[in-house]
Amino acid sequence: MSDACCSHEEPSGEIGDPDHRETERLWEITELRAAAVSGVLLITAFISGRAGAPGAVEPSLQAAALVVGGYTFVPSTLERLAKGRIGVGTLMTVAAIGAVALGEIGEAAMLAFLFSISEGLEEYAVARTRRGLRALLSLVPEQATVLRTGIETMITPAELRVGDRMVVRPGERIATDGVISEGHGAVDVSAITGESVPMEVGPRDEVFAGSINGTGVLEVRVTATAQDNSLARIVRIVETEQARKGASQRLADTVAKPLVPGILVAAAAIALFGAIFGDPATWIERALVVVVAASPCALAISVPVTVVAAIGAASTFGVLIKGGAALEALGRVRTVALDKTGTLTANSPVVVEVATVDGVESDRVLIVAAALESRSEHPLAGAILAASGQVASATDVEAVTGSGLTGRIGERPARLGRPGWIEAGPLAAEVERMQHAGATAVLVEDNGTVIGAVAVRDELRPEAREVVARLHATGCRTTMLTGDNARTATALAGRAGIDTVHADLRPEDKSRLVAELRRDRFTAMVGDGVNDAPALATADVGIAMGAMGTDVAIETADVALMGEDLRHLPQALNHARHARAIMLQNIGLSMGLITILIPLALIGALGLAAVVLVHELAEIIVIANGVRAGRIQGLPPAAAPARTPAATAVA
C-alpha cells in the first residue's frame, strides 16, 4: 500500500470482480508477512550483538531487516516520486536513508519494521470492513436452472440472458433480477434489505438477485444479466461514490498534502542551520527525526478507515451509503423532510369506510363503484375492487379527466367521482369528516341519485409514528412534503406526530422548500426517488426509501434504505453520528500527535526510534478506533411519551 494511506487511492481489486478474494487472515497480508520477517531479523541481530557474535553479524542482520521492511513501501514510493507525487512513504524513505547515512542502520530497520506493521494493519482493517459490500455478491448462487426449448438446464449466473426463464425451487437463491411468470411463494429478502418478514410474491411481481425462495416453485423471467442486476449495480455505485470525500476527509487532505513538502523544506533548513552554527551530524539527525515526527499518515488514514468501516456495517442492515461525503452529512442531519406516499405510507390504498344514504346498503355502493372502476385505470380502482365482493358488468364507461367516471349498469346510468363534480347532498357532513380523517372521499351516483361515499386512504406505515418519535428524540425536526391536499396531509401528519406539513406541492416546489430548510439546519430528504428526485438532489442528504430495484432512487440519492422498513432511517442517522464522532476523534488525536512530536524531536528529547515507535503506535490506535465505526448501532430511544403535535399545514 505504501502511500495509499495518504494518497487516498482505492485498494486494489474491484468490488464487482467475483474472482477477487478479499483477505481473510492477518498472515495473508504481504506487509505483515514482511514485518514478521523483519522483526525476526531485528531480534536475531539484537541477540547476536549481546552474545558477542563477530562484529559484522549484527549490522548485516539489521541491514537485511531494513531491506525486508523497506520492500513494503520504498519501491512504490519511488514510483510515485517519478510521477511527481509526494506522500508519507517519501518521508519514511528519506528518514531511513538519512539514518543509514548516519550509521544508524538499526534505527532505520526499526522504522521500516514499524511502518510496515502499520501499513499491514491498515490493509487488514480496510479489507475486513469492505467485506460487507463484497458479501452482497456472494449472495448470488453458483448455478441457476433455466428452461430452454422446454428442457431444464443448469448454467452459471453469468450465462443468463434477458428473457430467459429461470426455475427457482424452495430454498434456492434467485440468481438475478426478474419478474415472476408462474407460481406463488414467500421470498426472504433479509440478507439484501434487512427486512425480517418474507415478501409474498406471485405472477408479475419483481424479485431480486440474492433473495431466497421460501415456498413454492417459481418461474422467473430474467430482466437483468448477472453483471447488471440490482446487487451488481449497488456494489458498483458504492465503489464509484467512495471517491467522494466528506468535510473531515477534505480537512485531512488539506493538512496532509502541504505538510509533506513543508516538512521536507523545514528539515532541510534545520540541517543547513546546524551545519553552519553547530554540529552538522547532530542537527542532520534532528532534521531526520522531525521528518518522521511530522508524518501525517495517522491523520490521512483516520477518516478513510472510519468511512469504509461504517459503510460496510450499514450495508449489513439494508442501508446503502454512497461514500464519505454522504456518511458525514448524514451524521450532521438535524431536519428530516419526508414524502408522504410510499415513504410514510405503504403506497397501497385501501377502503376504510363506506357511508350510505337511508335505505341503501354499503354492499350496493361498492358494487356500483367496482363496476365502473373495473373498466378504468384510476389509482383508487384496486382498493375499491378489493373491497367489493363482486363486480357487476358496466358499459359505456368513460373517464372524465380530473373528475371521475361515467357509465351504465344495465339500463341505469351511474357515476363515480370527486365531491364537487358530484354533489354530496345528504352526505356532505360524512364527506367532510372522511377528508378530515385523511381519506380520499369518492361519491357514487346511481340512476341520477347519490347513494353513498367511499373513503379510500393510503394507510400510514405501522412503524411511522415510532420512527418520527425516534427522530424527535435525537433532536431532529420533521416536516412532510407532499402533493396531496392540505386536509388529507395534515390529518396523516397529525397521526404520525410530524411537526410541519407542506401540501399541494409539485416536484419543483419540494426542491425549493428543501433549499429553504437547508439554510437553517442540515437537512435530509426522504422520498421514493421518482417525483422526489429534485428534492433528493437538493438536500444535504437525499435518502431513497425502498430503493431495491429503483434505479432513479439509487442514482439520485446519497443514501438508500434498501427495504421497506422505515425504522432503518433513525438507525442510519444514529450510525452515521457515531461514525462522524469517531472521525473527529481520530483527526484530533492525529493533529495533537504531530503538534507534540515535532518540538520534542527538534530539541532532541526524542530520538529516531522513539519517534517512530510513538508515531506508529498512534497509527494503530486510530485504525483500531476507526474500525469501531463498523459496529452496528441500535435504534435510538423513542421519545417517551411520543409527541402528538397538531401538525402545522402550509399549502
Side-chain angles (χ1 to χ4, degrees), residues 46-105:
F46 177 80
I47 293 173
S48 65
R50 298 301 177 272
V57 174
E58 183 176 7
S60 297
L61 290 170
Q62 290 173 340
L66 172 59
V67 170
V68 174
Y71 171 77
T72 64
F73 64 92
V74 173
S76 55
T77 293
L78 296 177
E79 289 178 10
R80 294 175 192 277
L81 280 174
K83 299 176 183 177
R85 295 163 63 184
I86 298 175
V88 171
T90 308
L91 289 175
M92 294 300 181
T93 302
V94 170
I97 292 172
V100 171
L102 293 172
E104 299 291 345
I105 299 176

Side-chain angles (χ1 to χ4, degrees), residues 245-263:
K245 297 178 175 67
S248 292
Q249 287 177 293
R250 286 192 293 272
L251 174 61
D253 289 344
T254 301
V255 173
K257 288 181 179 178
L259 183 62
V260 174
I263 288 299

Side-chain angles (χ1 to χ4, degrees), residues 6 27 38 73 145 232 255 288 348 413 420 432 466 479 517 532 542 595 626:
C6 301
W27 58 82
S38 179
F73 64 92
T145 304
V255 173
L288 292 172
S348 180
E432 186 174 357
E466 174 192 349
T479 185
L517 292 170
D532 295 312
T595 304

Side-chain angles (χ1 to χ4, degrees), residues 222 226 383 392 440:
V222 173
T440 298

